[in-house]
Amino acid sequence: AEERAVTDRKTWAGEHFGSNGALARARKEFNERRQNVRSYGLTGGVGWRKYREIGDLHSGYSSALHSAAGFRIATLSGKPIFWKLLLALHALWLQVRALYHSNRAEDILGDEMTSDQWDIRQSILRSCRFWFFLVEAERCINAGLTVYEREDPEKRRAHTKALLLLGRAKLRDR
């Protein structure tokens, strides 16, 4: 929990890159926890719980990648054209990886995704800007809002509904 809190603080501070940046920490956590789940095995009556944990890992890592890609794009102004091109390609690579991990999370979790996970997915899909991704983002928003209403009011986070509705407004504003 402490490691996760440090990663979250680094993300909010914009410290995504470097050997101790938020992205490196998220990658390390993803790899270690995934290996731990795989070595534990998916048998013995706890298979779905462990399989779900792998889906949660993919969703969390996709969020870290998406955040880093957005940060990369936001820092392009004022750079020489060569650096803009290089940094834009890096942002594209981060976004492609975020989409991959988001797809894996949905493949594993399906309708068992939480409203926060649907919000992460719709944000990633909206940033891809192709019509078929935008249609999928609308589906994710609808699923996220449905799940949000079913979740325990003590456990759900109020800003999730606002982010899902904001995503819907941005889709309709295009």
Side-chain angles (χ1 to χ4, degrees), residues 15-62:
E15 299 172 12
H16 295 280
F17 306 104
S19 61
N20 199 27
L23 195 55
R25 294 176 75 85
R27 183 184 314 114
K28 181 181 175 196
E29 178 188 9
F30 174 77
N31 289 333
E32 286 175 356
R33 288 183 56 203
R34 184 179 58 175
Q35 187 59 38
N36 185 29
V37 169
R38 284 187 174 164
S39 65
Y40 187 78
L42 299 176
T43 59
V46 294
W48 170 246
R49 190 175 75 232
K50 289 296 178 182
Y51 199 58
R52 177 176 176 75
E53 188 175 336
I54 291 175
D56 292 343
L57 288 171
H58 279 287
S59 180
Y61 191 44
S62 71

mmCIF file of all heavy atoms in Angstrom, residues 15-62:
data_model
loop_
_atom_site.group_PDB
_atom_site.id
_atom_site.type_symbol
_atom_site.label_atom_id
_atom_site.label_comp_id
_atom_site.label_asym_id
_atom_site.label_seq_id
_atom_site.Cartn_x
_atom_site.Cartn_y
_atom_site.Cartn_z
ATOM 1 N N GLU A 15 6.116 13.263 -12.121
ATOM 2 C CA GLU A 15 7.402 12.559 -12.147
ATOM 3 C C GLU A 15 7.195 11.162 -12.729
ATOM 4 O O GLU A 15 7.277 10.161 -12.037
ATOM 5 C CB GLU A 15 7.976 12.478 -10.731
ATOM 6 C CG GLU A 15 8.241 13.831 -10.108
ATOM 7 C CD GLU A 15 8.614 13.742 -8.644
ATOM 8 O OE1 GLU A 15 8.899 12.634 -8.147
ATOM 9 O OE2 GLU A 15 8.601 14.799 -7.997
ATOM 10 N N HIS A 16 6.932 11.104 -14.030
ATOM 11 C CA HIS A 16 6.604 9.836 -14.680
ATOM 12 C C HIS A 16 7.821 9.026 -15.096
ATOM 13 O O HIS A 16 7.773 7.804 -15.092
ATOM 14 C CB HIS A 16 5.747 10.092 -15.929
ATOM 15 C CG HIS A 16 4.423 10.674 -15.622
ATOM 16 N ND1 HIS A 16 3.368 9.914 -15.192
ATOM 17 C CD2 HIS A 16 3.978 11.947 -15.669
ATOM 18 C CE1 HIS A 16 2.329 10.690 -14.996
ATOM 19 N NE2 HIS A 16 2.670 11.926 -15.275
ATOM 20 N N PHE A 17 8.888 9.706 -15.465
ATOM 21 C CA PHE A 17 9.991 9.039 -16.121
ATOM 22 C C PHE A 17 11.223 8.954 -15.227
ATOM 23 O O PHE A 17 11.302 9.594 -14.201
ATOM 24 C CB PHE A 17 10.300 9.737 -17.439
ATOM 25 C CG PHE A 17 9.075 9.857 -18.311
ATOM 26 C CD1 PHE A 17 8.404 11.052 -18.438
ATOM 27 C CD2 PHE A 17 8.564 8.737 -18.944
ATOM 28 C CE1 PHE A 17 7.255 11.151 -19.207
ATOM 29 C CE2 PHE A 17 7.419 8.822 -19.715
ATOM 30 C CZ PHE A 17 6.757 10.031 -19.851
ATOM 31 N N GLY A 18 12.175 8.134 -15.643
ATOM 32 C CA GLY A 18 13.382 7.922 -14.861
ATOM 33 C C GLY A 18 13.319 6.592 -14.132
ATOM 34 O O GLY A 18 12.282 5.930 -14.082
ATOM 35 N N SER A 19 14.440 6.205 -13.568
ATOM 36 C CA SER A 19 14.517 4.883 -12.932
ATOM 37 C C SER A 19 13.665 4.777 -11.672
ATOM 38 O O SER A 19 13.316 3.674 -11.252
ATOM 39 C CB SER A 19 15.974 4.550 -12.593
ATOM 40 O OG SER A 19 16.488 5.521 -11.688
ATOM 41 N N ASN A 20 13.305 5.887 -11.062
ATOM 42 C CA ASN A 20 12.456 5.856 -9.872
ATOM 43 C C ASN A 20 11.164 6.638 -10.108
ATOM 44 O O ASN A 20 10.493 7.025 -9.168
ATOM 45 C CB ASN A 20 13.206 6.419 -8.659
ATOM 46 C CG ASN A 20 12.565 6.005 -7.356
ATOM 47 O OD1 ASN A 20 11.921 4.956 -7.274
ATOM 48 N ND2 ASN A 20 12.706 6.832 -6.339
ATOM 49 N N GLY A 21 10.818 6.867 -11.381
ATOM 50 C CA GLY A 21 9.605 7.600 -11.717
ATOM 51 C C GLY A 21 8.362 6.734 -11.542
ATOM 52 O O GLY A 21 8.438 5.527 -11.290
ATOM 53 N N ALA A 22 7.222 7.365 -11.681
ATOM 54 C CA ALA A 22 5.947 6.669 -11.484
ATOM 55 C C ALA A 22 5.784 5.501 -12.459
ATOM 56 O O ALA A 22 5.302 4.438 -12.082
ATOM 57 C CB ALA A 22 4.794 7.651 -11.641
ATOM 58 N N LEU A 23 6.215 5.683 -13.701
ATOM 59 C CA LEU A 23 6.059 4.623 -14.698
ATOM 60 C C LEU A 23 6.947 3.420 -14.383
ATOM 61 O O LEU A 23 6.504 2.270 -14.468
ATOM 62 C CB LEU A 23 6.367 5.171 -16.089
ATOM 63 C CG LEU A 23 5.923 4.322 -17.267
ATOM 64 C CD1 LEU A 23 4.440 4.002 -17.198
ATOM 65 C CD2 LEU A 23 6.225 5.045 -18.561
ATOM 66 N N ALA A 24 8.177 3.671 -13.995
ATOM 67 C CA ALA A 24 9.083 2.564 -13.631
ATOM 68 C C ALA A 24 8.561 1.831 -12.404
ATOM 69 O O ALA A 24 8.616 0.596 -12.331
ATOM 70 C CB ALA A 24 10.491 3.095 -13.372
ATOM 71 N N ARG A 25 8.042 2.568 -11.435
ATOM 72 C CA ARG A 25 7.497 1.949 -10.229
ATOM 73 C C ARG A 25 6.253 1.123 -10.558
ATOM 74 O O ARG A 25 6.063 0.031 -10.034
ATOM 75 C CB ARG A 25 7.186 3.010 -9.187
ATOM 76 C CG ARG A 25 8.432 3.713 -8.666
ATOM 77 C CD ARG A 25 8.087 4.834 -7.712
ATOM 78 N NE ARG A 25 7.673 4.312 -6.427
ATOM 79 C CZ ARG A 25 8.499 3.986 -5.459
ATOM 80 N NH1 ARG A 25 9.799 4.136 -5.625
ATOM 81 N NH2 ARG A 25 8.044 3.523 -4.317
ATOM 82 N N ALA A 26 5.391 1.670 -11.437
ATOM 83 C CA ALA A 26 4.180 0.936 -11.830
ATOM 84 C C ALA A 26 4.547 -0.337 -12.595
ATOM 85 O O ALA A 26 3.943 -1.392 -12.393
ATOM 86 C CB ALA A 26 3.283 1.830 -12.680
ATOM 87 N N ARG A 27 5.554 -0.245 -13.477
ATOM 88 C CA ARG A 27 6.000 -1.428 -14.225
ATOM 89 C C ARG A 27 6.552 -2.489 -13.285
ATOM 90 O O ARG A 27 6.247 -3.679 -13.413
ATOM 91 C CB ARG A 27 7.066 -1.042 -15.246
ATOM 92 C CG ARG A 27 7.539 -2.212 -16.111
ATOM 93 C CD ARG A 27 8.670 -1.863 -17.063
ATOM 94 N NE ARG A 27 8.458 -0.632 -17.784
ATOM 95 C CZ ARG A 27 9.208 0.469 -17.629
ATOM 96 N NH1 ARG A 27 10.216 0.486 -16.772
ATOM 97 N NH2 ARG A 27 8.969 1.547 -18.328
ATOM 98 N N LYS A 28 7.350 -2.066 -12.307
ATOM 99 C CA LYS A 28 7.924 -3.001 -11.336
ATOM 100 C C LYS A 28 6.820 -3.676 -10.522
ATOM 101 O O LYS A 28 6.821 -4.901 -10.348
ATOM 102 C CB LYS A 28 8.884 -2.249 -10.415
ATOM 103 C CG LYS A 28 9.545 -3.126 -9.376
ATOM 104 C CD LYS A 28 10.461 -2.312 -8.492
ATOM 105 C CE LYS A 28 11.015 -3.215 -7.393
ATOM 106 N NZ LYS A 28 11.594 -2.460 -6.315
ATOM 107 N N GLU A 29 5.862 -2.885 -10.054
ATOM 108 C CA GLU A 29 4.746 -3.450 -9.285
ATOM 109 C C GLU A 29 3.938 -4.426 -10.139
ATOM 110 O O GLU A 29 3.571 -5.509 -9.686
ATOM 111 C CB GLU A 29 3.836 -2.334 -8.783
ATOM 112 C CG GLU A 29 2.629 -2.854 -8.024
ATOM 113 C CD GLU A 29 1.626 -1.761 -7.683
ATOM 114 O OE1 GLU A 29 1.762 -0.624 -8.167
ATOM 115 O OE2 GLU A 29 0.696 -2.069 -6.933
ATOM 116 N N PHE A 30 3.672 -4.039 -11.389
ATOM 117 C CA PHE A 30 2.916 -4.898 -12.300
ATOM 118 C C PHE A 30 3.625 -6.236 -12.492
ATOM 119 O O PHE A 30 3.020 -7.296 -12.348
ATOM 120 C CB PHE A 30 2.734 -4.187 -13.645
ATOM 121 C CG PHE A 30 2.098 -5.039 -14.702
ATOM 122 C CD1 PHE A 30 0.735 -5.275 -14.694
ATOM 123 C CD2 PHE A 30 2.858 -5.605 -15.709
ATOM 124 C CE1 PHE A 30 0.144 -6.066 -15.665
ATOM 125 C CE2 PHE A 30 2.285 -6.387 -16.687
ATOM 126 C CZ PHE A 30 0.921 -6.616 -16.665
ATOM 127 N N ASN A 31 4.923 -6.193 -12.803
ATOM 128 C CA ASN A 31 5.676 -7.427 -13.056
ATOM 129 C C ASN A 31 5.786 -8.309 -11.811
ATOM 130 O O ASN A 31 5.619 -9.524 -11.890
ATOM 131 C CB ASN A 31 7.064 -7.103 -13.605
ATOM 132 C CG ASN A 31 7.004 -6.586 -15.020
ATOM 133 O OD1 ASN A 31 6.083 -6.904 -15.776
ATOM 134 N ND2 ASN A 31 7.965 -5.762 -15.389
ATOM 135 N N GLU A 32 6.068 -7.695 -10.654
ATOM 136 C CA GLU A 32 6.214 -8.481 -9.423
ATOM 137 C C GLU A 32 4.900 -9.125 -9.012
ATOM 138 O O GLU A 32 4.859 -10.315 -8.678
ATOM 139 C CB GLU A 32 6.736 -7.592 -8.286
ATOM 140 C CG GLU A 32 8.198 -7.245 -8.418
ATOM 141 C CD GLU A 32 8.669 -6.267 -7.353
ATOM 142 O OE1 GLU A 32 7.838 -5.792 -6.543
ATOM 143 O OE2 GLU A 32 9.877 -5.967 -7.343
ATOM 144 N N ARG A 33 3.824 -8.335 -9.016
ATOM 145 C CA ARG A 33 2.534 -8.891 -8.591
ATOM 146 C C ARG A 33 2.004 -9.918 -9.584
ATOM 147 O O ARG A 33 1.413 -10.909 -9.191
ATOM 148 C CB ARG A 33 1.530 -7.763 -8.371
ATOM 149 C CG ARG A 33 1.866 -6.967 -7.109
ATOM 150 C CD ARG A 33 0.879 -5.888 -6.808
ATOM 151 N NE ARG A 33 -0.474 -6.405 -6.692
ATOM 152 C CZ ARG A 33 -1.558 -5.655 -6.861
ATOM 153 N NH1 ARG A 33 -1.451 -4.377 -7.149
ATOM 154 N NH2 ARG A 33 -2.753 -6.190 -6.738
ATOM 155 N N ARG A 34 2.240 -9.683 -10.883
ATOM 156 C CA ARG A 34 1.794 -10.655 -11.883
ATOM 157 C C ARG A 34 2.542 -11.971 -11.714
ATOM 158 O O ARG A 34 1.962 -13.045 -11.777
ATOM 159 C CB ARG A 34 2.004 -10.105 -13.294
ATOM 160 C CG ARG A 34 1.459 -11.043 -14.369
ATOM 161 C CD ARG A 34 1.663 -10.476 -15.725
ATOM 162 N NE ARG A 34 3.088 -10.236 -15.928
ATOM 163 C CZ ARG A 34 3.606 -9.831 -17.065
ATOM 164 N NH1 ARG A 34 2.833 -9.582 -18.093
ATOM 165 N NH2 ARG A 34 4.903 -9.654 -17.187
ATOM 166 N N GLN A 35 3.850 -11.882 -11.478
ATOM 167 C CA GLN A 35 4.643 -13.094 -11.258
ATOM 168 C C GLN A 35 4.180 -13.819 -9.997
ATOM 169 O O GLN A 35 4.088 -15.043 -9.977
ATOM 170 C CB GLN A 35 6.127 -12.744 -11.160
ATOM 171 C CG GLN A 35 7.031 -13.951 -11.097
ATOM 172 C CD GLN A 35 6.878 -14.850 -12.316
ATOM 173 O OE1 GLN A 35 6.716 -14.364 -13.439
ATOM 174 N NE2 GLN A 35 6.912 -16.142 -12.123
ATOM 175 N N ASN A 36 3.874 -13.068 -8.959
ATOM 176 C CA ASN A 36 3.384 -13.649 -7.713
ATOM 177 C C ASN A 36 2.068 -14.380 -7.931
ATOM 178 O O ASN A 36 1.869 -15.494 -7.442
ATOM 179 C CB ASN A 36 3.216 -12.556 -6.653
ATOM 180 C CG ASN A 36 2.834 -13.112 -5.303
ATOM 181 O OD1 ASN A 36 3.181 -14.237 -4.964
ATOM 182 N ND2 ASN A 36 2.117 -12.316 -4.539
ATOM 183 N N VAL A 37 1.168 -13.788 -8.678
ATOM 184 C CA VAL A 37 -0.123 -14.420 -8.960
ATOM 185 C C VAL A 37 0.075 -15.666 -9.801
ATOM 186 O O VAL A 37 -0.514 -16.710 -9.534
ATOM 187 C CB VAL A 37 -1.077 -13.427 -9.662
ATOM 188 C CG1 VAL A 37 -2.307 -14.142 -10.188
ATOM 189 C CG2 VAL A 37 -1.469 -12.317 -8.708
ATOM 190 N N ARG A 38 0.923 -15.575 -10.822
ATOM 191 C CA ARG A 38 1.158 -16.736 -11.690
ATOM 192 C C ARG A 38 1.824 -17.886 -10.936
ATOM 193 O O ARG A 38 1.489 -19.037 -11.152
ATOM 194 C CB ARG A 38 2.014 -16.340 -12.888
ATOM 195 C CG ARG A 38 1.246 -15.590 -13.928
ATOM 196 C CD ARG A 38 2.096 -15.371 -15.138
ATOM 197 N NE ARG A 38 1.308 -14.772 -16.196
ATOM 198 C CZ ARG A 38 1.820 -14.196 -17.255
ATOM 199 N NH1 ARG A 38 3.126 -14.145 -17.402
ATOM 200 N NH2 ARG A 38 1.048 -13.676 -18.167
ATOM 201 N N SER A 39 2.775 -17.567 -10.063
ATOM 202 C CA SER A 39 3.461 -18.630 -9.339
ATOM 203 C C SER A 39 2.537 -19.276 -8.320
ATOM 204 O O SER A 39 2.691 -20.442 -7.986
ATOM 205 C CB SER A 39 4.719 -18.093 -8.648
ATOM 206 O OG SER A 39 4.368 -17.167 -7.655
ATOM 207 N N TYR A 40 1.559 -18.523 -7.830
ATOM 208 C CA TYR A 40 0.595 -19.065 -6.872
ATOM 209 C C TYR A 40 -0.324 -20.068 -7.557
ATOM 210 O O TYR A 40 -0.772 -21.030 -6.960
ATOM 211 C CB TYR A 40 -0.221 -17.926 -6.248
ATOM 212 C CG TYR A 40 -1.119 -18.368 -5.138
ATOM 213 C CD1 TYR A 40 -0.611 -18.629 -3.875
ATOM 214 C CD2 TYR A 40 -2.477 -18.545 -5.350
ATOM 215 C CE1 TYR A 40 -1.430 -19.039 -2.845
ATOM 216 C CE2 TYR A 40 -3.305 -18.952 -4.326
ATOM 217 C CZ TYR A 40 -2.778 -19.198 -3.071
ATOM 218 O OH TYR A 40 -3.588 -19.594 -2.066
ATOM 219 N N GLY A 41 -0.592 -19.826 -8.828
ATOM 220 C CA GLY A 41 -1.437 -20.741 -9.590
ATOM 221 C C GLY A 41 -2.882 -20.296 -9.581
ATOM 222 O O GLY A 41 -3.315 -19.515 -8.747
ATOM 223 N N LEU A 42 -3.633 -20.810 -10.527
ATOM 224 C CA LEU A 42 -5.036 -20.448 -10.656
ATOM 225 C C LEU A 42 -5.941 -21.608 -10.246
ATOM 226 O O LEU A 42 -7.062 -21.716 -10.698
ATOM 227 C CB LEU A 42 -5.338 -20.020 -12.093
ATOM 228 C CG LEU A 42 -4.549 -18.807 -12.575
ATOM 229 C CD1 LEU A 42 -4.858 -18.523 -14.034
ATOM 230 C CD2 LEU A 42 -4.855 -17.590 -11.741
ATOM 231 N N THR A 43 -5.453 -22.482 -9.395
ATOM 232 C CA THR A 43 -6.245 -23.618 -8.956
ATOM 233 C C THR A 43 -6.447 -23.549 -7.443
ATOM 234 O O THR A 43 -5.988 -22.635 -6.781
ATOM 235 C CB THR A 43 -5.534 -24.942 -9.300
ATOM 236 O OG1 THR A 43 -4.255 -24.940 -8.660
ATOM 237 C CG2 THR A 43 -5.354 -25.090 -10.796
ATOM 238 N N GLY A 44 -7.120 -24.531 -6.912
ATOM 239 C CA GLY A 44 -7.290 -24.593 -5.464
ATOM 240 C C GLY A 44 -8.448 -23.767 -4.950
ATOM 241 O O GLY A 44 -8.450 -23.346 -3.802
ATOM 242 N N GLY A 45 -9.457 -23.477 -5.789
ATOM 243 C CA GLY A 45 -10.625 -22.749 -5.332
ATOM 244 C C GLY A 45 -10.466 -21.245 -5.298
ATOM 245 O O GLY A 45 -11.411 -20.533 -4.992
ATOM 246 N N VAL A 46 -9.288 -20.727 -5.573
ATOM 247 C CA VAL A 46 -9.097 -19.276 -5.564
ATOM 248 C C VAL A 46 -8.780 -18.768 -6.970
ATOM 249 O O VAL A 46 -8.302 -17.662 -7.138
ATOM 250 C CB VAL A 46 -7.965 -18.856 -4.590
ATOM 251 C CG1 VAL A 46 -8.337 -19.156 -3.176
ATOM 252 C CG2 VAL A 46 -6.649 -19.520 -4.973
ATOM 253 N N GLY A 47 -9.068 -19.595 -7.973
ATOM 254 C CA GLY A 47 -8.704 -19.257 -9.344
ATOM 255 C C GLY A 47 -9.266 -17.936 -9.812
ATOM 256 O O GLY A 47 -8.540 -17.093 -10.325
ATOM 257 N N TRP A 48 -10.590 -17.692 -9.631
ATOM 258 C CA TRP A 48 -11.180 -16.461 -10.133
ATOM 259 C C TRP A 48 -10.615 -15.247 -9.407
ATOM 260 O O TRP A 48 -10.346 -14.222 -10.004
ATOM 261 C CB TRP A 48 -12.700 -16.477 -10.018
ATOM 262 C CG TRP A 48 -13.280 -15.129 -10.306
ATOM 263 C CD1 TRP A 48 -13.931 -14.308 -9.445
ATOM 264 C CD2 TRP A 48 -13.205 -14.408 -11.545
ATOM 265 N NE1 TRP A 48 -14.263 -13.126 -10.045
ATOM 266 C CE2 TRP A 48 -13.835 -13.155 -11.350
ATOM 267 C CE3 TRP A 48 -12.661 -14.681 -12.793
ATOM 268 C CZ2 TRP A 48 -13.944 -12.202 -12.358
ATOM 269 C CZ3 TRP A 48 -12.774 -13.724 -13.784
ATOM 270 C CH2 TRP A 48 -13.408 -12.510 -13.563
ATOM 271 N N ARG A 49 -10.404 -15.352 -8.077
ATOM 272 C CA ARG A 49 -9.870 -14.222 -7.325
ATOM 273 C C ARG A 49 -8.486 -13.852 -7.855
ATOM 274 O O ARG A 49 -8.167 -12.675 -8.041
ATOM 275 C CB ARG A 49 -9.819 -14.559 -5.847
ATOM 276 C CG ARG A 49 -9.503 -13.340 -4.997
ATOM 277 C CD ARG A 49 -9.574 -13.622 -3.519
ATOM 278 N NE ARG A 49 -8.403 -14.376 -3.121
ATOM 279 C CZ ARG A 49 -8.438 -15.513 -2.445
ATOM 280 N NH1 ARG A 49 -9.577 -16.037 -2.087
ATOM 281 N NH2 ARG A 49 -7.323 -16.135 -2.121
ATOM 282 N N LYS A 50 -7.634 -14.827 -8.125
ATOM 283 C CA LYS A 50 -6.290 -14.550 -8.641
ATOM 284 C C LYS A 50 -6.349 -14.068 -10.091
ATOM 285 O O LYS A 50 -5.589 -13.186 -10.482
ATOM 286 C CB LYS A 50 -5.403 -15.800 -8.530
ATOM 287 C CG LYS A 50 -5.042 -16.127 -7.100
ATOM 288 C CD LYS A 50 -4.212 -15.007 -6.507
ATOM 289 C CE LYS A 50 -3.856 -15.263 -5.071
ATOM 290 N NZ LYS A 50 -3.095 -14.158 -4.497
ATOM 291 N N TYR A 51 -7.254 -14.647 -10.878
ATOM 292 C CA TYR A 51 -7.400 -14.220 -12.265
ATOM 293 C C TYR A 51 -7.883 -12.771 -12.298
ATOM 294 O O TYR A 51 -7.407 -11.968 -13.095
ATOM 295 C CB TYR A 51 -8.392 -15.154 -12.963
ATOM 296 C CG TYR A 51 -8.315 -15.127 -14.464
ATOM 297 C CD1 TYR A 51 -7.128 -15.435 -15.132
ATOM 298 C CD2 TYR A 51 -9.431 -14.801 -15.222
ATOM 299 C CE1 TYR A 51 -7.059 -15.422 -16.505
ATOM 300 C CE2 TYR A 51 -9.372 -14.789 -16.600
ATOM 301 C CZ TYR A 51 -8.182 -15.098 -17.235
ATOM 302 O OH TYR A 51 -8.119 -15.082 -18.595
ATOM 303 N N ARG A 52 -8.797 -12.436 -11.410
ATOM 304 C CA ARG A 52 -9.287 -11.059 -11.316
ATOM 305 C C ARG A 52 -8.145 -10.113 -10.954
ATOM 306 O O ARG A 52 -8.073 -8.996 -11.464
ATOM 307 C CB ARG A 52 -10.399 -10.949 -10.286
ATOM 308 C CG ARG A 52 -10.867 -9.537 -10.124
ATOM 309 C CD ARG A 52 -12.034 -9.357 -9.200
ATOM 310 N NE ARG A 52 -12.316 -7.951 -9.078
ATOM 311 C CZ ARG A 52 -12.914 -7.209 -10.009
ATOM 312 N NH1 ARG A 52 -13.307 -7.767 -11.126
ATOM 313 N NH2 ARG A 52 -13.121 -5.939 -9.823
ATOM 314 N N GLU A 53 -7.247 -10.547 -10.090
ATOM 315 C CA GLU A 53 -6.119 -9.704 -9.705
ATOM 316 C C GLU A 53 -5.241 -9.382 -10.914
ATOM 317 O O GLU A 53 -4.747 -8.262 -11.037
ATOM 318 C CB GLU A 53 -5.294 -10.376 -8.606
ATOM 319 C CG GLU A 53 -4.243 -9.472 -8.031
ATOM 320 C CD GLU A 53 -3.494 -10.084 -6.857
ATOM 321 O OE1 GLU A 53 -4.036 -10.974 -6.193
ATOM 322 O OE2 GLU A 53 -2.355 -9.650 -6.624
ATOM 323 N N ILE A 54 -5.071 -10.331 -11.816
ATOM 324 C CA ILE A 54 -4.299 -10.067 -13.035
ATOM 325 C C ILE A 54 -5.013 -8.996 -13.871
ATOM 326 O O ILE A 54 -4.381 -8.078 -14.399
ATOM 327 C CB ILE A 54 -4.072 -11.364 -13.841
ATOM 328 C CG1 ILE A 54 -3.116 -12.281 -13.082
ATOM 329 C CG2 ILE A 54 -3.521 -11.047 -15.224
ATOM 330 C CD1 ILE A 54 -2.914 -13.629 -13.717
ATOM 331 N N GLY A 55 -6.331 -9.090 -13.987
ATOM 332 C CA GLY A 55 -7.094 -8.065 -14.701
ATOM 333 C C GLY A 55 -6.951 -6.694 -14.053
ATOM 334 O O GLY A 55 -6.798 -5.680 -14.737
ATOM 335 N N ASP A 56 -6.995 -6.670 -12.719
ATOM 336 C CA ASP A 56 -6.806 -5.410 -11.999
ATOM 337 C C ASP A 56 -5.412 -4.827 -12.260
ATOM 338 O O ASP A 56 -5.252 -3.612 -12.391
ATOM 339 C CB ASP A 56 -7.001 -5.617 -10.497
ATOM 340 C CG ASP A 56 -8.439 -5.933 -10.117
ATOM 341 O OD1 ASP A 56 -9.341 -5.681 -10.945
ATOM 342 O OD2 ASP A 56 -8.649 -6.445 -9.004
ATOM 343 N N LEU A 57 -4.412 -5.698 -12.327
ATOM 344 C CA LEU A 57 -3.046 -5.242 -12.603
ATOM 345 C C LEU A 57 -2.952 -4.600 -13.984
ATOM 346 O O LEU A 57 -2.328 -3.549 -14.154
ATOM 347 C CB LEU A 57 -2.066 -6.408 -12.509
ATOM 348 C CG LEU A 57 -1.777 -6.945 -11.122
ATOM 349 C CD1 LEU A 57 -0.967 -8.235 -11.211
ATOM 350 C CD2 LEU A 57 -1.052 -5.918 -10.290
ATOM 351 N N HIS A 58 -3.562 -5.245 -14.981
ATOM 352 C CA HIS A 58 -3.545 -4.688 -16.341
ATOM 353 C C HIS A 58 -4.240 -3.328 -16.373
ATOM 354 O O HIS A 58 -3.759 -2.386 -17.013
ATOM 355 C CB HIS A 58 -4.215 -5.644 -17.330
ATOM 356 C CG HIS A 58 -3.333 -6.752 -17.783
ATOM 357 N ND1 HIS A 58 -2.297 -6.565 -18.665
ATOM 358 C CD2 HIS A 58 -3.330 -8.066 -17.474
ATOM 359 C CE1 HIS A 58 -1.686 -7.720 -18.886
ATOM 360 N NE2 HIS A 58 -2.291 -8.646 -18.165
ATOM 361 N N SER A 59 -5.361 -3.208 -15.674
ATOM 362 C CA SER A 59 -6.088 -1.938 -15.654
ATOM 363 C C SER A 59 -5.256 -0.838 -14.988
ATOM 364 O O SER A 59 -5.164 0.286 -15.502
ATOM 365 C CB SER A 59 -7.420 -2.115 -14.918
ATOM 366 O OG SER A 59 -8.131 -0.906 -14.900
ATOM 367 N N GLY A 60 -4.652 -1.142 -13.865
ATOM 368 C CA GLY A 60 -3.827 -0.149 -13.172
ATOM 369 C C GLY A 60 -2.619 0.283 -13.980
ATOM 370 O O GLY A 60 -2.276 1.475 -14.028
ATOM 371 N N TYR A 61 -1.968 -0.686 -14.635
ATOM 372 C CA TYR A 61 -0.789 -0.360 -15.438
ATOM 373 C C TYR A 61 -1.191 0.461 -16.670
ATOM 374 O O TYR A 61 -0.480 1.385 -17.066
ATOM 375 C CB TYR A 61 -0.050 -1.635 -15.830
ATOM 376 C CG TYR A 61 1.308 -1.399 -16.442
ATOM 377 C CD1 TYR A 61 2.202 -0.480 -15.905
ATOM 378 C CD2 TYR A 61 1.716 -2.105 -17.563
ATOM 379 C CE1 TYR A 61 3.445 -0.265 -16.461
ATOM 380 C CE2 TYR A 61 2.960 -1.907 -18.128
ATOM 381 C CZ TYR A 61 3.821 -0.975 -17.578
ATOM 382 O OH TYR A 61 5.055 -0.768 -18.140
ATOM 383 N N SER A 62 -2.345 0.147 -17.254
ATOM 384 C CA SER A 62 -2.806 0.932 -18.409
ATOM 385 C C SER A 62 -3.054 2.378 -17.995
ATOM 386 O O SER A 62 -2.777 3.308 -18.758
ATOM 387 C CB SER A 62 -4.069 0.324 -19.025
ATOM 388 O OG SER A 62 -5.193 0.505 -18.195
#
